[in-house]
Amino acid sequence: MGSPSAVADGLGRCTCLSDEPRPHADRRTKPRSISAPNSSGLPGIAQLRDIVGAVMTVGLFLSVLALIVSAIVRGFGANSSNPHPASRGKTGVLVPCGAAILCGAAVTPINFFWTVGQAVN
């Protein structure tokens, strides 16, 4: 019986009955700091990061492609004096612009909410 005895105090804490320092006592006194994300916390996190990057790239590519097609439709509609394709082309130009902005700016809210989540204890 060379090891110190321990008693649980009902709150889930361990109360050592010896004068030796507790190995877990210094964990509560160290201040927590916000550090870089844990890239090894979940299995497959590197693959997930690659997939998200690829989805953002494809989204930007498709937005540019839709912008070009919509601009062509708007041009043909305006030159042929047909208001329906011209208005659809105008809408089609604005929607891909919004989608491209959304895909490009998605990193900023993710970083904001990551920082807010790290601050919550």
Side-chain angles (χ1 to χ4, degrees), residues 45-59 106-107 110:
I45 195 78
Q47 289 83 7
L48 181 64
R49 187 174 292 140
D50 291 341
I51 290 170
V52 169
V55 167
M56 287 177 63
T57 303
V58 168
V107 174
I110 290 171

Side-chain angles (χ1 to χ4, degrees), residues 83-101:
H84 185 69
S87 67
R88 289 293 180 179
K90 189 186 300 183
T91 303
V93 167
L94 294 176
V95 169
C97 285
I101 290 170

